[in-house]
C-alpha cells in the first residue's frame, strides 16, 4: 500500500468493504481514547496516548487484502475474556475483522481503555 499523509487519505484509498470496517472502527477508538494522537505511523493509522508520534502507542488499524487488523501494542497484557485477541509480535495482540459485524464496540472500548492504561498510568492522565 502506498504511503499516505493522513488517516483520511488511507481510509479513502481502501477497497469498499475494508474501508467500511476501518471507518467503523475509527469513532470507537477516538471515543475510547479522548485526547489521543491519531496519525499515520509505519504506513498504518495509529493512536497513541503520548504527546509525540510513535510514543505510548495504543493501537493500530491495518488493511490487508481480505480483512482489517485491529491491533493493540500491549494487547497480550489486556484482559480478554472473549478470547478474540490473538497474540502477535512482542506484547501485541490483534483481531482480524472481515466485516462491520465483527466489530463489538463495547468489547473494543474495554480493550482500548486497558491498553491506554498500560501506556499511561492514571496519575499521568
Amino acid at each position: 500500500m502506498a504511503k499516505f499523509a493522513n488517516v483520511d487519505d488511507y481510509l479513502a484509498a481502501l477497497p469498499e468493504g475494508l474501508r467500511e470496517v476501518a471507518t467503523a472502527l475509527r469513532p470507537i477508538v477516538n471515543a475510547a481514547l479522548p485526547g489521543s494522537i491519531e496519525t499515520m505511523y509505519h504506513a498504518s493509522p495509529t493512536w497513541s496516548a503520548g504527546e509525540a508520534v510513535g510514543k505510548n502507542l495504543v493501537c493500530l488499524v491495518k488493511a490487508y487484502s481480505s480483512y482489517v487488523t485491529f491491533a493493540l501494542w500491549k494487547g497480550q497484557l489486556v484482559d480478554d475474556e472473549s478470547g478474540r485477541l490473538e497474540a502477535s509480535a512482542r506484547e501485541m495482540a490483534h483481531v482480524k475483522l472481515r466485516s462491520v459485524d465483527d466489530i463489538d464496540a463495547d468489547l473494543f472500548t474495554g480493550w482500548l481503555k486497558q491498553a491506554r492504561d498500560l501506556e499511561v498510568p492514571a496519575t499521568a492522565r
Side-chain angles (χ1 to χ4, degrees), residues 1-13:
M1 187 166 256
K3 291 192 177 194
F4 297 97
N6 56 54
V7 176
D8 290 328
D9 291 348
Y10 179 91
L11 296 175

Side-chain angles (χ1 to χ4, degrees), residues 20-42:
E20 184 180 7
V21 172
T23 300
L25 279 171
R26 191 179 195 186
I28 294 168
V29 175
N30 286 330
L33 303 175
S36 64
I37 297 171
E38 175 191 87
T39 191
M40 295 299 294
Y41 183 67
H42 290 291

Side-chain angles (χ1 to χ4, degrees), residues 95-107:
V95 61
K96 294 177 182 176
L97 308 169
R98 290 177 172 76
S99 78
V100 294
D101 294 335
D102 293 334
I103 298 171
D104 180 331
D106 291 335
L107 178 64

